[in-house]
């Protein structure tokens, strides 16, 4: 089974009775709790799919046999185990290849694929906000920002995106000089007004689903003049912040065109070499066709 053929996991009608699929999983206990819910396990069982935990104290090749290895663990050691396993068991679908996931663990390389895309014209322009990587030396940030011509406010995001609580500690910076208070390594990204709502596009192979989530509100010129400093903000667009049923301004609520999302997802699936991820995309306020991808997450929650 090739890594691109996630859909072929569906048994064909004549084999529906016989063929069983075993999914070995390596997930944190938090992820097991949120993902492996009884409803999913029941649904999978009815379709001949069983989930088996991977035992970290035994060699992976001694376990199984697996049809699929599903994982969301970080660290070089685990990556190595999986890479070796993939070499020995090329027919097992590893969701997803560790090297491909690694690209999402750095907020610079994460968005490079989108920046390289030339998705424009017929369905809207998709890009990434202008951003700058600061590796070290916080005192030089104001100069770097001035030289790069970045416009305030800026969203400061830890460069490393490894699933730790720290990697989700973001700040909004209203003035250049306060940027010295930040802790590199980080990415400074131009804040794009988008009406306080973002779209999360969930991608599972060829299937996509889009939802609305609340996000940071627009920053006006007056806000910029009357605010200074760097403000930490919490996880504003978490699952609890669904905006699907909210009474929104229609121009903010309107979902991005389906064909744009399909095209974007297909391109990113191929370029990233991933089957299981989501992306956060915003539409610049006051436009109906300027989109920015601001974040990509591997094997996210619901
Ligand atoms: N460039 C931007 N312009 C406007 N708002 C932004 C921008 N970048 C981030 N945000 C806001 O900050 C929130 C968090 O940013 P981001 O999605 O990059 O962080 P994260 O911690 O990786 O999130 P997730 O929980 O989805 O993994 C977004 O949901 C959005 O509300
Ligand atoms: O479903 P959304 O709202 O996108 O939320 C996900 C985040 O986007 C991911 O960043 C989380 O993964 P990490 O905790 O591995 O960063 C991911 O954590 P999870 O792996 O514990 O589900 C989710 O919180
Ligand atoms: Mg996000
Ligand atoms: Mg993220």
């Amino acid at each position: 089974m090739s890594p691109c053929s996630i859909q072929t996991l569906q048994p064909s009608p004549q084999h529906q009775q016989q063929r069983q699929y075993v999914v070995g999983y390596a997930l944190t206990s938090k992820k097991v709790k949120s993902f492996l819910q009884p409803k999913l396990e029941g649904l999978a069982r009815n379709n001949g799919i069983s989930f088996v935990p991977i035992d970290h104290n035994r060699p992976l090749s001694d376990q199984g046999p697996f049809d699929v290895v599903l994982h969301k663990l970080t660290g070089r050691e685990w990556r190595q185990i999986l890479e070796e396993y993939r070499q020995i068991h090329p027919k097992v679908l590893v969701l997803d290849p560790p090297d491909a996931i690694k690209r999402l663990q750095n907020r610079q390389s994460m968005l490079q694929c989108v920046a390289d895309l030339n998705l424009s014209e017929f369905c809207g322009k998709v890009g990434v906000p202008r951003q700058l990587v600061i590796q070290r030396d916080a005192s030089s940030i104001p100069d770097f920002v001035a030289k790069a011509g970045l416009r305030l406010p800026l969203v400061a995001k830890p460069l490393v995106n490894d699933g730790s609580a720290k990697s989700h500690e973001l700040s909004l910076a209203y003035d250049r000089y306060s940027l010295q208070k930040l802790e590199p390594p980080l990415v400074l990204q131009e804040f794009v007004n988008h009406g306080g709502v973002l779209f999360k596009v969930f991608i599972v192979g060829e299937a996509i689903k889009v939802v609305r989530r609340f996000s940071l509100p627009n920053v006006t010129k007056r806000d910029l003049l009357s605010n200074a400093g760097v403000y930490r903000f919490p996880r504003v667009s978490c699952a609890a912040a669904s905006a699907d049923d909210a009474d929104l301004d229609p121009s903010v609520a309107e979902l991005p065109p389906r064909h744009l999302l399909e095209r974007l997802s297909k391109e990113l699936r191929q370029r990233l070499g991933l089957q299981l991820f989501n992306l956060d995309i915003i539409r610049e306020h006051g436009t109906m066709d300027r989109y920015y991808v601001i974040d990509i997450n591997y094997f996210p929650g619901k």
Side-chain angles (χ1 to χ4, degrees), residues 25-29 31-32 35-36 56 70-73 299:
Y25 64 86
L27 304 169
T28 60
S29 50
K31 190 69 175 172
V32 170
F35 170 73
L36 265 187
H56 296 285
L70 181 65
H71 69 107
K72 188 173 179 178
L73 296 178
F299 190 179

Side-chain angles (χ1 to χ4, degrees), residues 212-215 235-244:
R212 296 179 191 87
R213 296 255 178 102
F214 284 109
S215 178
R235 296 189 74 172
V236 278
S237 310
C238 60
S242 170
D244 277 326

Side-chain angles (χ1 to χ4, degrees), residues 30-31 34 72 161 163 168 200 202 213 235 237-239 278 295 297-302:
K30 173 178 152 259
K31 190 69 175 172
S34 65
K72 188 173 179 178
N161 179 45
H168 293 290
K200 264 194 192 271
F202 292 86
R213 296 255 178 102
R235 296 189 74 172
S237 310
C238 60
N278 74 6
D295 184 27
N297 301 299
Y298 180 62
F299 190 179
K302 61 175 159 86

Side-chain angles (χ1 to χ4, degrees), residues 107 110 129-130 155 157 161 167-170 172 189-194 198 200 213-217 233-238 278 280 282 292-297:
R107 291 190 193 267
M110 168 201 283
R130 292 203 308 149
V155 187
K157 310 184 182 188
N161 179 45
S167 68
H168 293 290
E169 283 177 2
L170 274 58
L172 192 59
Q189 198 175 79
E190 282 190 345
F191 180 88
V192 178
N193 279 344
H194 54 283
L198 64 71
K200 264 194 192 271
R213 296 255 178 102
F214 284 109
S215 178
L216 292 178
F233 61 88
R235 296 189 74 172
V236 278
S237 310
C238 60
N278 74 6
D280 294 348
I282 55 180
Y292 294 88
V293 175
I294 54 169
D295 184 27
I296 306 180
N297 301 299

Side-chain angles (χ1 to χ4, degrees), residues 181-193:
K181 293 184 200 149
L182 293 166
E183 271 177 58
L186 46 85
V187 164
L188 294 174
Q189 198 175 79
E190 282 190 345
F191 180 88
V192 178
N193 279 344

